[in-house]
Amino acid sequence: MAGNRHDDGRGADPRHGWGAPQGDPYPGAPTGVPEYFTAPHPGPVGPGDQPGHTRAFAVGEQPYGEAPYGGAPYGDQPAYPYGGQDGYGYGYDDGYGQDGYGQAPGPADNVAVYRAGGQAAPHAGGPRLPWRQLLVGMYRSPSATFDRMRDHQVWLPALCVSLLYGVLAVFALDATYDQVVHSAFAVALWAIGGAALGFTLAGGVLSAVTYVLARQFGGDGPWQSTVGLAALISWTTDAPRLLLALFLPIGNPVVQAVGWATWVGCAVLLTVMVRRIHDLPWGKAAGAAAVQLLALLVLIKLPTLG
């Protein structure tokens, strides 16, 4: 078998046996490799093709012509020859428009999207709660209730509660109660209507300030739910004090204690609401609710509390 025992790179000459031609610098030295590895490559021979020299090629030029075995040229090989972009054949392009498991690529379905503030857990939305469940849920499970009502407006409950609070406030204060009771019907009606409308507007303005501050601090909640829920929290938390004031004097210690306790409860609920609706940390949520809390304290609580 010619060329499998020793070869000098030029192949064997049957006329001269296995000896090397005269002038060969490596006379008859065995190489130990088949002759198809040591045979010269076809093509022009220049100074750069001599042993110990290198040959320069232009950019994009194939040094050995076409790739072996009928494949694409060496420079045109695909970046991922096995159909994968991860080096193991499991990428998103195997020549059939699918990934390595026969599934077309697509966006991930189970990736939680992080909202603007990014401090609270993902919110679990749902259908809008009825009135009774909303008012009870704000105190029994505030976080879950605010999460569920995040994308729903509560204009009608907030408006009704605000008007009712205004009417109740007229009769809960000694000064306004005497004026309404001992005045003509038309005057009393105007006083009650004005108080109800005034408290409704005040609740809307203060709640809007809370919304604006929450957005300034990086919140991303909608304004309808923020304003409506803030008004509901402001008036429902103070309702126990007004109910007691209907039967007890304003200076009664019980009324005073309930007034301070309900203001603290209003502060907690407002902070939780802003945190859940706007996805803010506790500090920023409390800062957004601070203006509304101070206004409620100065305008409503302090005039009646010692």
Side-chain angles (χ1 to χ4, degrees):
M1 293 172 41
N4 290 334
R5 296 178 58 189
H6 65 272
D7 190 10
D8 60 356
R10 297 190 176 97
D13 189 350
R15 295 175 299 178
H16 301 287
W18 296 98
Q22 185 177 3
D24 191 351
Y26 308 99
T31 62
V33 294
E35 63 180 358
Y36 48 78
F37 284 146
T38 60
H41 295 283
V45 178
D49 297 319
Q50 298 299 326
H53 295 78
T54 57
R55 180 180 178 185
F57 297 92
V59 177
E61 181 182 356
Q62 304 300 327
Y64 303 108
E66 296 295 326
Y69 311 110
Y74 288 100
D76 298 332
Q77 295 297 327
Y80 310 103
Y82 299 101
Q85 299 181 7
D86 55 1
Y88 299 97
Y90 299 105
Y92 290 116
D93 187 8
D94 61 353
Y96 298 97
Q98 297 178 340
D99 60 11
Y101 298 98
Q103 300 293 331
D109 296 329
N110 298 323
V111 178
V113 179
Y114 196 55
R115 297 209 313 273
Q119 299 296 331
H123 298 275
R128 183 165 54 181
L129 294 172
W131 282 34
R132 181 179 299 178
Q133 297 182 14
L134 172 61
L135 296 176
V136 174
M138 288 193 311
Y139 294 93
R140 295 185 60 181
S141 55
S143 296
T145 302
F146 296 144
D147 285 345
R148 186 166 178 177
M149 296 299 295
R150 180 182 186 274
D151 299 320
H152 301 292
Q153 53 86 16
V154 289
W155 293 126
L156 189 58
L159 178 62
C160 294
V161 170
S162 300
L163 293 174
L164 183 60
Y165 179 87
V167 174
L168 189 61
V170 172
F171 293 97
L173 301 177
D174 294 336
T176 56
Y177 176 82
D178 295 335
Q179 292 178 3
V180 170
V181 171
H182 297 91
S183 62
F185 177 78
V187 175
L189 185 62
W190 277 104
I192 295 175
L197 183 60
F199 278 104
T200 302
L201 293 178
V205 171
L206 294 177
S207 301
V209 171
T210 299
Y211 166 77
V212 172
L213 290 177
R215 299 289 292 190
Q216 291 293 325
F217 291 154
D220 59 353
W223 70 279
Q224 299 93 333
S225 57
T226 303
V227 175
L229 290 173
L232 280 176
I233 293 171
S234 300
W235 305 139
T236 56
T237 52
D238 195 43
R241 180 186 68 89
L242 294 183
L243 291 176
L244 286 177
L246 290 175
F247 308 99
L248 298 175
I250 289 296
N252 186 283
V254 176
V255 177
Q256 297 281 310
V258 171
W260 285 110
T262 54
W263 184 83
V264 174
C266 179
V268 173
L269 282 181
L270 270 180
T271 303
V272 173
M273 185 273 295
V274 174
R275 180 175 181 266
R276 304 304 298 186
I277 296 295
H278 289 270
D279 194 11
L280 290 174
W282 284 104
K284 291 184 177 181
V291 173
Q292 185 169 1
L293 291 171
L294 291 177
L296 292 175
L297 181 63
V298 172
L299 299 177
I300 298 176
K301 298 288 186 175
L302 289 182
T304 57
L305 297 178

